[in-house]
Amino acid sequence: MATSGESQIYRDLMRFRPAELSANGWAVKAGVSRTVWADMRRHGNPARRTLEKLLSAAGSSLAEFEALRLGAQPQTASGGPALGDPARAWSPAALPPLPLVASAFGGEWGRPRRGIELTGIRSGELLERLPRPASLGSDPDAFAVTIVGESMWPRFRPGSRVAVSPRAPVAIGDDVMVRLRVSGGESDKVLIKQLVKQDSAGVDLRQFNPDHTFRVDGNKIDVIIKVLGELI
């Protein structure tokens, strides 16, 4: 049962707290101030970056959190909005669906037998339309892809669907989709990895299974796009 005086976003976020950690321990693991909880309980207005850090430390993502919150609308016994729920009187316009584009195993990148997996993206092939997280409401270029292969396990499960946002800023530590360049234009091959380092000469990327950190020269990169996280 919810405690009186606690904000809804605080209660929703606590559903993601790692079972082995206290709230303060979770904050320390995420690298945020422990005072975040007191402010969030009262005001419910955490910074987006704070949420991303907390959810990442819990092995989740902002996309998953937003999806949970969109599906948590209070219901009456008859299935409609509860009395006192603002949605009973007004609800925002439905968000456009998120396109799921086709993906497939694209072979290996770099030296043979290192196991650095490539993914083939067929942007013109739409497989399905998925519910759009509220965080992507203002990004008409966002899309989703299915993870193929096991190179990013356990961060991403094979077969999981992830949201990708070309408009989101990219930072060190983010999961990214690096579209490779070929002679004459862009390739349909991408690297879905973690961004470890970025400089004027290129990027260092990490995959988790097998664990490799490797360099991609800038002249081989068409664009770097942020992978926001797994969709429910």
Side-chain angles (χ1 to χ4, degrees):
M1 184 173 179
T3 303
S4 177
E6 289 181 349
S7 69
Q8 184 63 49
I9 195 169
Y10 172 80
R11 296 196 295 269
D12 290 343
L13 188 61
M14 279 297 144
R15 296 171 65 179
F16 287 78
R17 179 173 65 84
E20 72 277 9
L21 294 176
S22 65
N24 285 342
W26 184 14
V28 170
K29 181 179 179 182
V32 302
S33 172
R34 288 177 291 180
T35 61
V36 68
W37 302 122
D39 185 65
M40 198 185 307
R41 277 195 190 99
R42 291 194 301 269
H43 306 298
N45 59 346
R48 180 186 178 87
R49 186 59 179 159
T50 297
L51 276 179
E52 287 179 335
K53 288 181 177 180
L54 287 166
L55 291 164
S56 177
S60 187
S61 67
L62 192 58
E64 185 172 2
F65 180 64
E66 291 283 6
L68 177 144
R69 300 199 80 215
L70 285 174
Q73 180 177 313
Q75 300 288 308
T76 65
S78 63
L83 284 171
D85 177 13
R88 185 178 180 90
W90 176 88
S91 60
L95 294 172
L98 191 68
L100 175 69
V101 302
S103 59
F105 180 66
E108 293 190 0
W109 185 88
R111 296 199 303 271
R113 294 184 294 278
R114 290 189 71 192
I116 298 174
E117 292 182 354
L118 284 165
T119 300
I121 301 294
R122 298 191 293 275
S123 300
E125 186 176 341
L126 176 62
L127 299 180
E128 194 175 341
R129 297 183 185 276
L130 307 175
R132 178 181 295 262
S135 59
L136 294 175
S138 61
D139 186 353
D141 300 321
F143 60 96
V145 296
T146 301
I147 296 294
V148 294
E150 300 181 348
S151 69
M152 289 298 283
W153 173 262
R155 185 179 294 275
F156 295 133
R157 298 172 292 108
S160 62
R161 295 165 170 180
V162 297
V164 183
S165 174
R167 296 194 178 192
V170 173
I172 301 303
D174 286 344
D175 299 308
V176 294
M177 173 185 289
V178 178
R179 186 181 293 276
L180 299 173
R181 179 181 294 153
V182 295
S183 178
E186 69 178 29
S187 167
D188 63 350
K189 301 292 178 63
V190 302
L191 292 158
I192 299 178
K193 313 297 177 188
Q194 183 185 51
L195 181 62
V196 175
K197 180 181 178 181
Q198 184 174 17
D199 54 38
S200 59
V203 297
D204 289 353
L205 302 175
R206 180 189 179 192
Q207 75 168 29
F208 294 91
N209 182 37
D211 196 337
H212 285 307
T213 298
F214 57 97
R215 185 76 171 172
V216 182
D217 293 337
N219 60 7
K220 297 179 180 177
I221 298 172
D222 180 62
V223 67
I224 302 175
I225 303 171
K226 185 171 182 176
V227 177
L228 294 178
E230 186 173 339
L231 296 164
I232 296 176

